[in-house]
Amino acid sequence: MLKGSSSVCRQRLQHVLQLERGIAPRSTRACHTTPHDSTTAGRWVVAHGSILRKCAYRRSLQTGRSHDARGLVRSYQTQFSPLTLPSPASLGKAAPSRTYRRTRKFLRRLIYLSLLSGVVYLADTTLYDSSLTRSFRTFGNGLIVALDYKINFRANPPFAKSIEDVHRRSAERLFELLRANGGLYLKIGQAIAMQSAILPPEFQKMFARMFDDAPQNSWREVEKVIREDFGKGVEEVFGVSFGQDAVEGKGIMERKARASASVAQVHWARLPDGREVAIKVQKKEIKRQVGWDLWAFKVVSRIYTFWFDIPLYSMVPYITERLMLETDFLNEARNADKMKSLVQSEPRLRDRVYIPTVYHELSSKRVMTAEWIEGVRLWDKDGITKPWHGGRGQGSPGAGGNKLAPPSTPTAAPVARNSPDDERLKPERTAWKGSRNDGGLGL
């Protein structure tokens, strides 16, 4: 109650002071009549002395000190001054506007860094086939796996349910890394899978999928590799055609790969002289990626050797040499010829093992052409061990240089439609599997 009354008194006193200065408003809460000159204002103050005394009394109750009406008026008079415009000199000097230099410098550096990162990424993807990106991905995942084992490889791992859980998630990370990077990384993963018996079961299960077909390159990239190595187009090198004259006088070739691996993919073709061949074409990006991949492999091996005291780096020279030879198809062709002569010189293998003939005139460092022989995948255990139904003394279709029957005209018709994604021109020859298609190589 006192608080409300005090505000009313304050308003009335302010009104009185305004009357004395001649600036009183036309209406007020203290009085319904407002004087219009200083004389009338003085009379109004005298006439309303009781109001001032009541306000002084209420002020004394709130503060605990005595106040008279005159002192109260004087205290309020000192708090107010007439409305006058300040002089320019009294305003002082204008403060300079804020320029936010640090913020602008940070934004400028952020823009420059973003532009530089974009240029580096664009150059890496277009000129180096994402070699730098793949190396950074390797370092990042390798560091995560190393830290995971460093922290959790103990009886009671702090951030895993068990040691098996650490093995499982590490195997998944490495598998996804190798599949995402592709190229020689897949070759490394397949080498790990071949020796998976010495690894934890979680790695064995995950890396068994490394032998699945890798992504295929487009036909345009295949053409580019052949033209770079031979200086001529596919039609001129192999005597095939993809137009209306594909069957008449020229050979045919499937533009969709029959199989795709880490380094190369294989296309089926039938040459004009009737020979069916397997054309192994190295993937275009391998040539530029091999140097970066081997460098990243060396760095990661060095870090793991230092961190875990495991002699991984001792294997780097051998693996580097083997992988470099893996990308040289001329070396592979020479090895095939050498192996063929060794098998023929061994009586126990001469009539049991057949090495396909390599056509050197249709081969280069990134393209190798050899006989097409029907068979099964190397990891198809049933296809290798099931009984042979192809006849006694007979080998797989195409072995021994025997010419295969040409595909029928309806089978070759898709070539004229120029649809490389749907081409399946090679006839399916499965007689050696038996009438129920349950046979194998009988090995």
Side-chain angles (χ1 to χ4, degrees), residues 35-216:
H36 298 286
D37 54 12
S38 60
T39 304
T40 308
R43 294 173 182 173
W44 191 91
V45 172
V46 175
H48 294 80
S50 62
I51 297 176
L52 297 177
R53 285 193 294 272
K54 290 180 180 179
C55 291
Y57 174 72
R58 291 171 180 167
R59 182 83 174 270
S60 64
L61 291 178
Q62 291 179 349
T63 60
R65 295 183 300 173
S66 61
H67 294 276
D68 58 358
R70 292 181 182 181
L72 187 61
V73 171
R74 282 195 301 270
S75 66
Y76 278 108
Q77 284 178 339
T78 58
Q79 297 179 16
F80 300 96
S81 61
L83 181 62
T84 57
L85 294 176
S87 62
S90 65
L91 296 177
K93 191 175 181 180
S97 60
R98 298 187 63 181
T99 57
Y100 300 98
R101 292 183 178 179
R102 292 184 178 179
T103 303
R104 293 171 63 184
K105 182 183 291 186
F106 174 76
L107 291 176
R108 187 163 53 248
R109 290 179 178 178
L110 182 61
I111 293 173
Y112 291 159
L113 181 61
S114 300
L115 291 175
L116 179 61
S117 301
V119 171
V120 171
Y121 178 77
L122 184 63
D124 182 46
T125 53
T126 56
L127 300 179
Y128 297 101
D129 295 298
S130 301
S131 298
L132 187 61
T133 304
R134 295 159 74 246
S135 298
F136 278 121
R137 188 186 296 131
T138 301
F139 296 149
N141 283 272
L143 181 61
I144 292 174
V145 172
L147 289 174
D148 196 5
Y149 272 109
K150 193 74 173 178
I151 296 172
N152 296 304
F153 194 69
R154 57 195 67 194
N156 297 309
F159 299 105
K161 297 179 180 179
S162 61
I163 294 294
E164 289 74 17
D165 189 37
V166 178
H167 290 325
R168 179 191 55 76
R169 65 193 185 193
S170 297
E172 290 178 356
R173 286 194 184 103
L174 292 177
F175 176 81
E176 294 299 332
L177 168 67
L178 299 176
R179 292 286 293 182
N181 283 351
L184 293 180
Y185 285 90
L186 285 178
K187 185 65 68 176
I188 295 173
Q190 291 172 0
I192 295 175
M194 294 293 290
Q195 304 296 327
S196 61
I198 64 175
L199 298 175
E202 291 77 15
F203 279 84
Q204 297 179 23
K205 295 176 183 178
M206 184 60 64
F207 278 77
R209 298 161 53 190
M210 274 293 172
F211 295 102
D212 295 341
D213 281 348
Q216 296 187 14

Side-chain angles (χ1 to χ4, degrees), residues 102-405:
R102 292 184 178 179
T103 303
R104 293 171 63 184
K105 182 183 291 186
F106 174 76
L107 291 176
R108 187 163 53 248
R109 290 179 178 178
L110 182 61
I111 293 173
Y112 291 159
L113 181 61
S114 300
L115 291 175
L116 179 61
S117 301
V119 171
V120 171
Y121 178 77
L122 184 63
D124 182 46
T125 53
T126 56
L127 300 179
Y128 297 101
D129 295 298
S130 301
S131 298
L132 187 61
T133 304
R134 295 159 74 246
S135 298
F136 278 121
R137 188 186 296 131
T138 301
F139 296 149
N141 283 272
L143 181 61
I144 292 174
V145 172
L147 289 174
D148 196 5
Y149 272 109
K150 193 74 173 178
I151 296 172
N152 296 304
F153 194 69
R154 57 195 67 194
N156 297 309
F159 299 105
K161 297 179 180 179
S162 61
I163 294 294
E164 289 74 17
D165 189 37
V166 178
H167 290 325
R168 179 191 55 76
R169 65 193 185 193
S170 297
E172 290 178 356
R173 286 194 184 103
L174 292 177
F175 176 81
E176 294 299 332
L177 168 67
L178 299 176
R179 292 286 293 182
N181 283 351
L184 293 180
Y185 285 90
L186 285 178
K187 185 65 68 176
I188 295 173
Q190 291 172 0
I192 295 175
M194 294 293 290
Q195 304 296 327
S196 61
I198 64 175
L199 298 175
E202 291 77 15
F203 279 84
Q204 297 179 23
K205 295 176 183 178
M206 184 60 64
F207 278 77
R209 298 161 53 190
M210 274 293 172
F211 295 102
D212 295 341
D213 281 348
Q216 296 187 14
N217 280 12
S218 66
W219 175 249
R220 180 176 298 179
E221 292 174 331
V222 172
E223 284 185 307
K224 186 177 294 185
V225 171
I226 294 175
R227 184 173 293 276
E228 289 176 357
D229 278 27
F230 291 94
K232 298 181 291 184
V234 179
E235 294 87 344
E236 297 179 75
V237 174
F238 298 102
V240 297
S241 178
F242 304 102
Q244 295 293 338
D245 57 344
V247 181
E248 299 177 1
K250 290 191 176 183
I252 56 177
M253 180 177 178
E254 288 182 347
R255 286 171 286 189
K256 184 175 182 178
R258 281 280 168 170
S260 178
S262 56
V263 174
Q265 58 191 50
V266 177
H267 295 259
W268 174 89
R270 186 177 179 89
L271 304 180
D273 57 7
R275 291 177 296 173
E276 290 191 14
V277 294
I279 303 175
K280 183 179 179 181
V281 183
Q282 188 177 121
K283 294 181 177 179
K284 182 180 68 67
E285 64 271 13
I286 296 297
K287 182 179 180 180
R288 287 195 287 256
Q289 290 177 349
V290 60
W292 285 92
D293 294 347
L294 292 177
W295 173 76
F297 174 66
K298 291 178 182 178
V299 172
V300 172
S301 299
R302 174 75 75 177
I303 293 174
Y304 273 60
T305 299
F306 172 78
W307 204 340
F308 295 102
D309 197 22
I310 300 176
L312 292 177
Y313 194 77
S314 60
M315 299 185 299
V316 168
Y318 174 78
I319 294 177
T320 301
E321 181 186 4
R322 293 297 98 191
L323 289 178
M324 290 299 295
L325 291 175
E326 192 84 22
T327 62
D328 186 358
F329 290 175
L330 291 177
N331 178 73
E332 184 175 348
R334 290 191 296 268
N335 288 339
D337 290 342
K338 185 176 181 179
M339 182 60 65
K340 190 180 184 70
S341 63
L342 291 175
V343 169
Q344 291 298 320
S345 62
E346 175 58 48
R348 293 173 297 177
L349 300 177
R350 184 180 304 155
D351 297 326
R352 295 175 58 85
V353 178
Y354 181 79
I355 306 298
T357 301
V358 177
Y359 302 113
H360 293 273
E361 69 278 10
L362 299 177
S363 301
S364 67
K365 191 170 184 177
R366 292 189 294 171
V367 179
M368 188 177 75
T369 305
E371 287 180 299
W372 180 275
I373 300 176
E374 301 288 344
V376 298
R377 296 178 183 270
L378 185 61
W379 52 91
D380 184 1
K381 183 178 180 180
D382 292 337
I384 294 175
T385 58
K386 285 185 176 181
W388 170 260
H389 297 294
R392 185 176 178 82
Q394 300 295 323
S396 301
N402 298 323
K403 288 187 178 182
L404 298 170

